Amino acid sequence: MSISKFQSRRNFIKQTSIGLLAFASMPSWINAAEGMHGMPILPPRKASANFKPDVELELFCQNTEAPVLAGKTTRVQKYSAKLLHGPEQSVTEIPSSYLGPVIRLQKGQKVRIHLHNQLDEDTITHWHGLHVPAEVDGHPMYVIGQGQTFVYEFEVVNRACMAIYHPHPHEATAKQVYHGLAGAIIVNDEIEAALGLPSGEFEIPIVIQDRLFDLQNQLIYSPGMHGNMFGFYGNRILVNGHPELQLEVASRAYRLRFLNGSTARIYKLAWDDGTPITVLGVDGGLLEQPEQKPYVMLAPGERLDVWMDFSGRAVGSELVMRSLPFSGALPHMGMGMMGNNGYGLPMQSDYAIFSVKINKKVSDSPKLPTALSKISRYEISDTHNPNKPVPITISEGHMSMLLNGRPYAYKDIQANERIPVHTIQLMEISHEHGMGGMGNGGGMGMGRMGMGGMGMGGMMAMAHPIHLHGQQFQIVSRSIDSSREGDYATVNQGFINSGLKDTVLVMPGETVRIIKPFQDYKGLFMFHCHNLEHEDMGMMRDFLVE
Ligand code: C2O
Ligand code: CU
């Protein structure tokens, strides 16, 4: 066993030097894309006189400090907001957190947000999960500099859901999110309100992130080549900006709104006493009916709406939400060579996320509804291209993680990436032939060829949370290469495929088919890996909706 491990390592080094050579001789468009120049410099968008907002707020991005660990405060970048006009609950601070305030919107509201960049670097904000016009979607071409203000105006057309706001400047998204720039948006609508789900103090956001600190309690962000390839991982789990969070709850039902705000870490969430997770919804809002899951996979950018009833639990009793062990989301060999990725908290190991303590006995509690919502679904026959899915191809190589074989470049739209507006598209997310999927199920699997025969892509194969801007999509099918079934069995019961999604975790060897509408708005809409290190490395493309 130790011999084969040693052999794998030697092969890895051999492959690595081949990779470096290959990189040196790559075509010029790869090098040209590096700085991503060529984006237009646009004057920041201004308010339009004929837009009458129901909610208007100022959103500031600032360098500041926040209490995170015991002792010294931590230098962070933070969103803060000031409500100018609209219902008071539109903005709620999370106490003493570096996270931005929760922005609560109602379907149908017209919203105007003045984004003030008070950082000493460029930024722009994206409303992850909201379906808004391209010019207010936070495309990196709209970055603003220090001291500038960009005005967003849009109508909330989404159904009730949890969305995210976070920066999207080219090649700096991960760094800004890591330093604190992120917040939750909660959209409510009448259908949801009629369900009487737990609200107010009984509805709790759970934003999960991992961070690495130095001895002075300052954030360390130094992905380097290794972190860019495999993701950067902290050794502390923070929930809502705090380590070892303990929620105090009453013995009744709660609604927990999860958001994975980590740059790369994927969680396999489960209650430590074996209670199944009762799922109410995912990225795009409520499911049709609640689903019970032994555990739920939550990748960066994904959201999860959970019902948890603490009724009948004794006052003083505790419950822990953990991340359970799984495999296959990181390259087996890369991790072996690079050592203990995760800086003491390996991603696929078993660790606590937060705990809950029952501190009060109450006698009544809302009951779990049996039906939640109606999802208007499309059939493959409703799509514009039932026999020719739009490909989203993942390719993994040494020092490059690509989509459709190309790194991000502005206006580098390929034929496949042009989408006629007002169409419904069948799309297929898969791994480039012979890469990641390790043989594409056609008898070229690693079992026959052995380690020495693996291509670079197979070695680098890892899980990628693929996010598409614009409207939410349906997952129509998932299939796994037979060589990957073992790893897949450690995660697949944690996927929720029945809800509307904007981010889907694609495992090595997995092919996912989705149906996505492209209605209402023309323009550039990004799709990218929400492993933010990958995104910043160029694992991002644009669809031109025209
Ligand atoms: Cu949450 Cu384009 O990102
Ligand atoms: Cu990725």
Side-chain angles (χ1 to χ4, degrees):
M1 174 138 160
S2 64
I3 290 169
S4 69
K5 197 170 165 192
F6 181 65
Q7 279 178 338
S8 331
R9 175 189 289 215
R10 269 216 328 235
N11 280 327
F12 181 85
I13 292 165
K14 205 167 103 199
Q15 299 276 16
T16 300
S17 48
I18 293 166
L20 282 168
L21 273 173
F23 188 79
S25 61
M26 271 177 184
S28 59
W29 51 262
I30 291 190
N31 296 323
E34 232 171 349
M36 219 205 41
H37 304 298
M39 279 201 207
I41 298 173
L42 300 163
R45 190 182 183 283
K46 294 206 162 37
S48 42
N50 54 7
F51 184 90
K52 298 279 173 280
D54 304 300
V55 179
E56 182 166 12
L57 54 100
E58 295 190 281
L59 191 61
F60 303 89
C61 306
Q62 290 157 326
N63 290 316
T64 178
E65 295 187 4
V68 183
L69 305 178
K72 242 178 155 234
T73 56
T74 302
R75 284 187 298 278
V76 295
Q77 297 182 320
K78 179 177 161 50
Y79 282 112
S80 60
K82 186 169 159 233
L83 185 64
L84 299 178
H85 169 69
E88 214 181 309
Q89 71 270 20
S90 307
V91 173
T92 320
E93 295 290 337
I94 300 179
S96 69
S97 177
Y98 60 76
L99 290 169
V102 176
I103 299 178
R104 192 176 281 272
L105 302 173
Q106 188 73 31
K107 181 176 180 175
Q109 275 176 336
K110 288 199 166 116
V111 182
R112 177 185 285 152
I113 299 175
H114 306 257
L115 178 76
H116 301 291
N117 180 1
Q118 299 179 345
L119 307 171
D120 44 20
E121 60 192 89
D122 288 354
T123 196
I124 193 69
T125 296
H126 165 57
W127 322 100
H128 174 137
L130 296 188
H131 177 42
V132 298
E135 61 161 356
V136 291
D137 191 46
H139 191 284
M141 70 189 280
Y142 296 111
V143 288
I144 52 170
Q146 180 173 24
Q148 290 189 306
T149 297
F150 185 101
V151 183
Y152 296 85
E153 290 166 325
F154 56 84
E155 182 178 333
V156 180
V157 298
N158 285 66
R159 63 207 287 270
C161 66
M162 186 191 212
I164 318 170
Y165 60 103
H166 67 73
H168 222 302
H170 189 51
E171 295 174 342
T173 295
K175 184 175 75 83
Q176 291 187 1
V177 170
Y178 186 87
H179 285 94
L181 288 170
I185 297 173
I186 292 182
V187 175
N188 295 120
D189 67 15
E190 279 161 19
I191 294 166
E192 178 199 41
L195 295 170
L197 295 171
S199 63
E201 62 176 302
F202 307 114
E203 182 187 22
I204 304 177
I206 305 279
V207 180
I208 311 174
Q209 298 177 304
D210 60 333
R211 295 293 183 264
L212 187 65
F213 294 88
D214 69 14
L215 295 172
Q216 279 73 49
N217 287 356
Q218 301 311 309
L219 290 164
I220 298 173
Y221 187 65
S222 55
M225 186 189 90
H226 179 255
N228 284 333
M229 288 301 299
F230 304 117
F232 184 75
Y233 301 91
N235 63 354
R236 302 293 299 257
I237 299 300
L238 306 178
V239 172
N240 299 342
H242 301 292
E244 283 137 41
L245 182 83
Q246 184 169 70
L247 296 175
E248 311 247 309
V249 299
S251 60
R252 55 161 281 152
Y254 280 74
R255 186 179 184 191
L256 305 177
R257 312 290 305 261
F258 290 80
L259 184 172
N260 183 349
S262 313
T263 65
R265 186 176 288 264
I266 300 162
Y267 303 93
K268 178 177 176 177
L269 301 174
W271 296 111
D272 71 335
D273 68 348
T275 304
I277 297 185
T278 302
V279 180
L280 299 176
V282 290
D283 308 348
L286 294 167
L287 307 180
E288 298 198 297
Q289 57 269 322
E291 284 181 31
Q292 307 272 329
K293 292 279 180 184
Y295 59 85
V296 177
M297 301 304 298
L298 198 68
E302 287 187 304
R303 286 87 72 207
L304 178 68
D305 193 349
V306 166
W307 172 278
M308 182 56 181
D309 194 347
F310 301 104
S311 299
R313 290 179 186 258
V315 170
S317 64
E318 282 185 36
L319 189 67
V320 177
M321 175 150 278
R322 302 190 70 81
S323 188
L324 300 182
F326 57 104
S327 61
L330 287 169
H332 292 285
M333 293 168 70
M335 291 304 108
M337 179 191 159
M338 301 294 185
N340 186 13
N341 185 277
Y343 305 91
L345 190 62
M347 177 172 89
Q348 306 186 99
S349 66
D350 182 2
Y351 52 88
I353 306 289
F354 67 96
S355 65
V356 181
K357 186 172 188 166
I358 290 68
N359 71 352
K360 194 160 79 186
K361 186 144 195 73
V362 296
S363 51
D364 64 319
S365 170
K367 292 279 160 293
L368 178 64
T370 51
L372 297 171
S373 74
K374 183 85 199 83
I375 294 176
S376 38
R377 277 174 213 287
Y378 299 109
E379 299 299 326
I380 291 184
S381 57
D382 297 325
T383 63
H384 180 76
N385 56 337
N387 303 312
K388 200 174 171 289
V390 173
I392 296 179
T393 313
I394 295 168
S395 49
E396 299 153 307
H398 183 66
M399 300 213 301
S400 71
M401 292 285 175
L402 303 175
L403 290 176
N404 293 343
R406 303 169 79 83
Y408 186 77
Y410 177 65
K411 285 212 169 150
D412 181 39
I413 314 291
Q414 303 300 297
N416 282 328
E417 296 165 338
R418 310 183 87 102
I419 308 280
V421 70
H422 308 310
T423 58
I424 296 152
Q425 298 282 334
L426 178 64
M427 311 191 121
E428 183 175 280
I429 312 170
S430 66
H431 299 263
E432 195 169 270
H433 182 76
M435 317 260 295
M438 292 208 297
N440 222 10
M444 279 182 56
M446 63 180 274
R448 279 170 62 167
M449 299 196 46
M451 288 296 187
M454 281 174 69
M456 180 65 69
M459 285 173 55
M460 299 294 174
M462 59 182 288
H464 301 274
I466 302 298
H467 170 53
L468 287 76
H469 287 214
Q471 274 163 295
Q472 302 284 324
F473 54 79
Q474 292 166 225
I475 294 173
V476 288
S477 66
R478 308 180 79 124
S479 59
I480 188 74
D481 185 273
S482 56
S483 68
R484 295 284 184 175
E485 276 167 0
D487 286 334
Y488 199 65
T490 70
V491 297
N492 70 344
Q493 287 183 70
F495 297 137
I496 300 143
N497 299 319
S498 57
L500 294 174
K501 298 283 292 170
D502 56 55
T503 307
V504 59
L505 183 64
V506 182
M507 295 297 289
E510 188 173 29
T511 297
V512 181
R513 284 192 162 205
I514 64 173
I515 295 179
K516 179 174 158 72
F518 288 81
Q519 289 150 335
D520 308 316
Y521 311 126
K522 294 183 185 177
L524 293 177
F525 288 92
M526 292 172 277
F527 61 104
H528 57 87
C529 184
H530 220 282
N531 174 315
L532 297 181
E533 282 80 33
H534 288 178
E535 175 187 336
D536 283 349
M537 238 194 342
M539 195 174 182
M540 174 161 95
R541 301 288 303 162
D542 284 315
F543 283 124
L544 175 61
V545 183
E546 55 187 0

